[in-house]
Amino acid sequence: LSSGLSLEEIISLHSSVEYSVGAIGFTAGFAFLTTVDPKLQRPRREQPRVNVAKGSVAIANNQTAIYPTQSPGGWNIIGNCPIDLYDPQSASILPISIGNSVRFKPISREEFFSLGGKVQQEWT
């Protein structure tokens, strides 16, 4: 995210807001969360990536989201979430619904891995 902001500022701004789930779509479990701080807002990429890693936290315009599965995508990636947000084998396929509130919590590298996070390669 080329915003002139430091990594710490991006994390602080992104995690200081309680987002609302406005819609679910694009791909199974993809929750569109509103509204991103104006300092973080960026347009969608002109050239989408072929593969965006599962769990990628991203921003496009005034929205943020977490890619629930590996998929193509044109949003600006700012991090990764280790928690599964789509499980078609579970009785509760999606842990969030339209109208829910979501707040991002910065975590350490150690906590990321202890929650099941994995380092994933992204291809363009």
Side-chain angles (χ1 to χ4, degrees), residues 89-103:
Q89 306 306 316
S90 172
S92 175
I93 295 173
L94 306 174
I96 56 178
S97 302
I98 294 172
N100 285 164
S101 294
V102 174
R103 187 173 204 128

Side-chain angles (χ1 to χ4, degrees), residues 1 10 14 19 26 30-36 40-45 49 52-68 71-81 85 104 122:
L1 189 69
I10 292 170
H14 193 259
Y19 299 97
F26 162 65
F30 191 97
F32 293 85
L33 309 174
T34 60
T35 300
V36 172
L40 295 175
Q41 294 179 12
R42 295 291 174 273
R44 289 175 53 91
R45 293 169 46 101
R49 293 175 180 87
V52 174
K54 172 185 173 180
S56 292
V57 177
I59 293 174
N61 301 312
N62 69 338
Q63 297 180 314
T64 188
I66 304 167
Y67 282 79
S71 69
W75 290 36
N76 302 282
I77 308 303
I78 63 166
N80 193 277
C81 174
L85 297 177
F104 289 87
E122 289 185 3

